[in-house]
Amino acid sequence: MDTQTLIYIFVGLSFALYIGIAIWSRAGSTKEFYVAGGGVNPVVNGMATAADWMSAASFISMAGLIAFLGYDASVYLMGWTGGYVLLALLLAPYLRKFGQFTVPDFIGTRYYSKTARVVAVICLIFISFTYIAGQMRGVGIVFSRFLDVPIFWGVIIGMGIVFVYAVLGGMKGITYTQVAQYCVLIFAYMVPAFFLSFMITGNPIPQIGLGSQVNDGSGLYVLQKLNLVLSDLGFGQYTDGSKSMIDVFCITLALMVGTAGLPHVIVRFFTVPKASDARKSAGWALVFIALLYTTAPAVGAFARLNFIDTVNETSYSEAPGWFKNWERNDLIAFQDKNGDGVMQVRSGDAFEGAPEFAAEAGPSGERVVTNTPVADSENEVYVDRDIMVLANPEIGNLPGWVIALVAAGGLAAALSTAAGLLLVISSSVSHDLLKSTFKPNISEKGELLAARVAATAAIVVAGYLGIYPPGWVAQVVAFAFGLAAASLFPAIFMGIFSKRMNKEGAIAGMVTGLAFTFGYIFYFKLANPAANVAENWLFGVSPEGIGVVGMLLNFIVAIAVSKMTASPPVEIRKLVDSIRVPRGAGEAHAH
């Protein structure tokens, strides 16, 4: 059976499974739609959380960034895993004990203010749409290559699939769908990693293979060989970092704190029966996430080695089939600068911007790139970082069923997170804006209808952002974490641990953090990308790490404003005590 047929079978079966689960577990009430009825087992919830968490950025893009950035990409590993520790210790059990449906619910009640609730919803929508742009971009890339359709139509197809199981099933449908998606994506990620590790090092365990010798008789270890190969081609050493210490610190902290403030992850801890289960869920999620995250560095290193071995100094006429497959989808390109028909991989960009192709083919049969060449760069090959994991099985010449499995896994990763984010957006509109703010007398049936309409509208916006994204998948997702760190995290943290924080302080802090961080990212990434260099950054902090500065501004403004305004009511201070004190604990006594 040919590879394309296997891809259709694997992807088709996985979609049938997801849609079948969504129909079987269709939400019949608002509680089932928002929090799956509040009765999900912690292990099941941990697996669903892991799928919700391990988005297209984790599955598709992270190893690609590691492959090309090397040591510098370690910020993603440290930030995204460390964030779960923060979430498990500082937020999850307290939020579950509070017992509301959503993050704006917590903020609106804790800060006794409809305005605070609305500001939280605005922050949440900014974060969620920024995040979801990366997921839909991932969906488009997978469909474009494996179903051989343009990225535009790939995103449209993905929107249709998410619509069915997110809008019908709500959180109940999504929870059990995400359990299935986790199984698919982790299997799809690990199997090629086992194959590649064994092929390159003779050891099938990728975590150990990364520290093993390459089995080519050179006696070099994997990272030693990568350093040597990259140095010979003019790149920096793989194990050396180019980022400043302050930027590494800020990006890592922004990703950690952003994790603890992400609404689609936090809402997962409202779906378990009690507060202790929330902490157990976070622990199980960390176990399930660690399987992929400890494998990603090996996958990135193996991908970079294989890519250079199969492409560099290879005649285009003899280029491997996978190169031409991805070239058809505009995600890899060869610009023959010296006219010898041989592909040279060197440091620097081959040409300016993403590739644009002429109608006619070049002398070697390549698609002719019309972009302006970068004059001082000998590099002739452009590769989109987001294809590395998806292309890995083809680059390594693995069996067709492994390629099909990776296609299904990539879609599972992107769709699971997209569904969780869409649910957060829809519940914020229907529950937090309508039910809790503007139309308190709306019926449960009306609220459920509003949630589904909001989810439909959100899918349309998400699709547009997926077709025209502001960066690579992992980059776009990093911006969402920065926005979460700067806006929601301080309000949630102080809402739990500070009885003195009032509504005026929380609102002022959220608005300040969100406006500053969004403005900084917008300026450097969209308005003036040419200025996006370290010399122009504030304190040397890149747009990916600026959420930390926004968070500090949030804390400073919130604390200053709260000191100049009235204290929260007595009942709110008692509420904060009740959230933090374990149920059943009595008064402390002197002995």
Side-chain angles (χ1 to χ4, degrees):
M1 193 178 295
D2 72 325
T3 300
Q4 194 60 48
T5 303
L6 285 169
I7 290 170
Y8 287 132
I9 291 172
F10 275 56
V11 171
L13 287 175
S14 66
F15 281 178
L17 175 64
Y18 307 152
I19 293 170
I21 291 172
I23 293 170
W24 164 74
S25 57
R26 179 174 178 172
S29 67
T30 51
K31 189 172 185 184
E32 288 185 342
F33 192 90
Y34 295 141
V35 292
V40 179
N41 182 278
V43 179
V44 171
N45 195 52
M47 196 175 288
T49 305
D52 210 347
W53 172 247
M54 290 192 297
S55 60
S58 293
F59 187 97
I60 295 174
S61 193
M62 185 171 64
L65 284 177
I66 293 170
F68 284 89
L69 298 179
Y71 178 83
D72 280 339
S74 61
V75 294
Y76 294 98
L77 290 169
M78 294 186 294
W80 283 337
T81 47
Y84 251 91
V85 179
L86 269 182
L87 187 59
L89 294 176
L90 292 181
L91 301 184
Y94 303 113
L95 288 171
R96 177 60 191 88
K97 191 175 179 186
F98 188 76
Q100 296 291 344
F101 281 160
T102 65
V103 171
D105 241 355
F106 170 79
I107 289 175
T109 305
R110 163 60 184 84
Y111 294 113
Y112 51 97
S113 166
K114 288 185 177 181
T115 304
R117 186 189 298 272
V118 172
V119 171
V121 170
I122 293 168
C123 293
L124 184 148
I125 287 172
F126 266 93
I127 294 162
S128 298
F129 275 126
T130 305
Y131 202 147
I132 210 170
Q135 309 316 309
M136 299 312 291
R137 158 79 172 169
V139 170
I141 288 172
V142 178
F143 273 122
S144 71
R145 164 63 190 91
F146 293 114
L147 300 188
D148 205 22
V149 296
I151 286 181
F152 173 86
W153 286 110
V155 172
I156 299 296
I157 295 168
M159 287 163 60
I161 298 295
V162 173
F163 174 84
V164 172
Y165 71 79
V167 175
L168 279 182
M171 181 58 84
K172 186 178 178 185
I174 285 172
T175 296
Y176 295 104
T177 302
Q178 285 175 336
V179 171
Q181 285 169 328
Y182 175 79
C183 296
V184 171
L185 77 87
I186 201 66
F187 193 59
Y189 201 85
M190 298 303 291
V191 168
F194 293 145
F195 270 103
L196 292 168
S197 183
F198 186 73
M199 286 170 55
I200 292 172
T201 69
N203 191 314
I205 302 172
Q207 291 87 339
I208 299 174
L210 181 62
S212 302
Q213 289 184 346
V214 182
N215 58 5
D216 59 358
S218 66
L220 294 173
Y221 289 87
V222 171
L223 295 178
Q224 284 179 323
K225 181 170 182 182
L226 254 178
N227 281 339
L228 189 64
V229 168
L230 293 176
S231 296
D232 288 346
L233 297 177
F235 294 93
Q237 290 212 341
Y238 192 77
T239 53
D240 286 347
S242 60
K243 292 183 183 295
S244 66
M245 183 66 74
I246 183 69
D247 200 30
V248 168
F249 175 82
C250 286
I251 295 174
T252 303
L253 186 57
L255 295 175
M256 286 178 66
V257 176
T259 301
L262 278 179
H264 76 292
V265 174
I266 290 174
V267 75
R268 278 251 148 256
F269 300 106
F270 294 124
T271 65
V272 291
K274 54 186 187 290
S276 61
D277 290 335
R279 188 166 274 146
K280 290 176 188 173
S281 287
W284 277 110
L286 199 53
V287 170
F288 293 129
I289 289 166
L291 280 175
L292 188 147
Y293 272 51
T294 56
T295 306
V299 172
F302 298 153
R304 189 72 181 275
L305 270 179
N306 275 342
F307 176 77
I308 291 172
D309 282 347
T310 56
V311 173
N312 187 44
E313 302 298 341
T314 299
S315 167
Y316 180 84
S317 59
E318 298 173 3
W322 66 266
F323 189 97
K324 296 177 181 179
N325 288 339
W326 287 101
E327 187 185 35
R328 281 201 303 271
N329 299 109
D330 304 346
L331 295 170
I332 201 165
F334 164 50
Q335 188 177 61
D336 194 5
K337 293 181 178 180
N338 56 15
D340 64 355
V342 176
M343 297 183 286
Q344 272 94 34
V345 178
R346 301 291 185 270
S347 89
D349 294 326
F351 43 78
E352 296 176 5
E356 297 175 8
F357 297 96
E360 72 281 356
S364 300
E366 78 275 13
R367 295 182 69 193
V368 176
V369 178
T370 59
N371 303 57
T372 304
V374 175
D376 58 351
S377 171
E378 296 179 12
N379 184 30
E380 297 182 335
V381 178
Y382 163 91
V383 57
D384 189 303
R385 269 67 162 165
D386 289 338
I387 75 168
M388 293 310 295
V389 169
L390 300 173
N392 233 350
E394 294 176 274
I395 297 172
N397 203 26
L398 300 185
W401 67 267
V402 179
I403 297 170
L405 182 62
V406 169
L411 287 170
L415 294 174
S416 62
T417 303
L421 289 162
L422 288 168
L423 192 68
V424 163
I425 294 168
S426 68
S427 61
S428 295
V429 172
S430 61
H431 182 73
D432 297 308
L433 289 184
L434 287 181
K435 177 71 175 176
S436 301
T437 309
F438 299 118
K439 290 186 71 177
N441 297 322
I442 191 172
S443 67
E444 181 166 312
K445 187 176 180 182
E447 187 183 348
L448 198 56
L449 176 63
R452 287 180 167 139
V453 170
T456 304
I459 287 172
V460 174
V461 177
Y464 176 83
L465 292 172
I467 295 166
Y468 303 104
W472 296 317
V473 173
Q475 272 192 321
V476 174
V477 169
F479 301 146
F481 281 76
L483 292 171
S487 58
L488 291 181
F489 174 78
I492 297 168
F493 181 82
M494 290 185 290
I496 294 170
F497 294 103
S498 171
K499 289 191 284 186
R500 181 63 182 81
M501 184 51 57
N502 60 14
K503 62 181 180 182
E504 291 86 359
I507 292 168
M510 284 190 290
V511 171
T512 301
L514 180 69
F516 169 79
T517 306
F518 182 77
Y520 191 91
I521 291 171
F522 182 85
Y523 175 76
F524 282 116
K525 300 304 293 186
L526 296 175
N528 193 10
N532 188 24
V533 291
E535 299 81 58
N536 297 330
W537 295 338
L538 182 66
F539 308 126
V541 179
S542 65
E544 288 85 353
I546 200 63
V548 169
V549 180
M551 176 188 71
L552 293 175
L553 286 174
N554 185 330
F555 274 118
I556 291 166
V557 169
I559 292 168
V561 171
S562 70
K563 287 185 180 299
M564 293 186 287
T565 48
S567 296
V570 174
E571 63 269 19
I572 295 298
R573 295 201 294 272
K574 288 181 177 177
L575 174 65
V576 175
D577 276 336
S578 71
I579 293 172
R580 296 211 310 263
V581 176
R583 188 173 285 115
E587 294 292 325
H589 297 283
H591 293 284

